[in-house]
Amino acid sequence: MMKSFILVVFAVAVEAWVPTSIPSAGSPFLGTSSASPPNPPYSHARRLSPPLGLSMEFLGFKLSSLGGIGDMIQKAEASHILVKGQQSLEGCNDLKELVTASIDFPAGVGLEQAFKNVAEQYSACPSARKGGYLGSMKPGQMVSEFDEVVFTRSVGTVHGPVETKFGHHLILIHSRQGDPEQKKSGGCG
């Protein structure tokens, strides 16, 4: 009796967080056999999603059994090339073309390596020593123009020129976490 009560309370609490439909006997989650599934004494709990499809929303974040709490935290890794001065826009466009021209797959030079090589030679930022690599960042850590690109544009693409108060940037987004609609691309966009 006590076990049934606890399970029903748990089912009601989870259902308050996870509004799901009641699976039918022909549902792929319950199997397609013609025999109807047995109804346990706590049949109210049948309304729960199957274990692999369980998803919850809490304070605007989606949680799922396939991900964890860490997936909620948005962060990204990016590199950039900074060009300063009056000709920074033209310089950025020239460097973007140089990155594209430097890609040589037979020689093992992909987009990230080409970007790193150009950043080491031409970036006006101290991060040039690390190929323009800025590391991991969260929203709000960079200037708003930079943040907007890093947290909304395609991963694996060179974006820019992007103008900030520091000059013009080319930005390569390496990865992004906590973004369910992560776009992945390749090349210069």
Side-chain angles (χ1 to χ4, degrees):
M1 175 69 176
M2 183 59 122
K3 289 180 186 177
S4 296
F5 175 75
I6 291 172
L7 187 55
V8 170
V9 169
F10 173 75
V12 170
V14 171
E15 187 173 340
W17 280 26
V18 187
T20 59
S21 60
I22 300 172
S24 65
S27 166
F29 301 119
L30 295 176
T32 55
S33 69
S34 59
S36 49
N39 286 330
Y42 48 88
S43 62
H44 179 77
R46 276 186 60 226
R47 284 190 243 160
L48 295 176
S49 298
L52 291 178
L54 180 66
S55 66
M56 293 187 263
E57 217 172 287
F58 179 70
L59 297 177
F61 294 107
K62 287 191 176 190
L63 305 173
S64 76
S65 60
L66 299 176
I69 299 291
D71 293 339
M72 294 187 311
I73 301 169
Q74 230 188 344
K75 59 183 176 180
E77 285 187 51
S79 295
H80 81 129
I81 297 171
L82 172 63
V83 180
K84 295 181 177 183
Q86 291 189 338
Q87 301 296 320
S88 62
L89 179 61
E90 292 81 13
C92 245
N93 283 320
D94 292 344
L95 292 177
K96 191 172 189 176
E97 288 179 24
L98 183 58
V99 168
T100 305
S102 301
I103 297 171
D104 186 5
F105 289 112
V109 180
L111 177 63
E112 289 193 13
Q113 186 61 47
F115 191 91
K116 180 180 178 182
N117 294 343
V118 172
E120 287 173 345
Q121 291 180 349
Y122 298 103
S123 182
C125 181
S127 67
R129 292 187 309 257
K130 299 183 286 180
Y133 183 69
L134 296 170
S136 181
M137 62 195 76
K138 295 177 184 171
Q141 285 185 294
M142 303 301 225
V143 292
S144 62
E145 301 89 351
F146 202 95
D147 253 12
E148 195 256 313
V149 170
V150 171
F151 290 99
T152 62
R153 302 272 182 91
S154 299
V155 173
T157 303
V158 177
H159 299 283
V162 177
E163 185 177 12
T164 70
K165 64 183 179 181
F166 301 106
H168 282 87
H169 306 259
L170 293 178
I171 303 170
L172 174 61
I173 307 164
H174 300 286
S175 66
R176 187 168 48 234
Q177 294 177 341
D179 183 3
E181 297 177 22
Q182 178 174 339
K183 302 174 202 143
K184 190 144 186 141
S185 182
C188 295

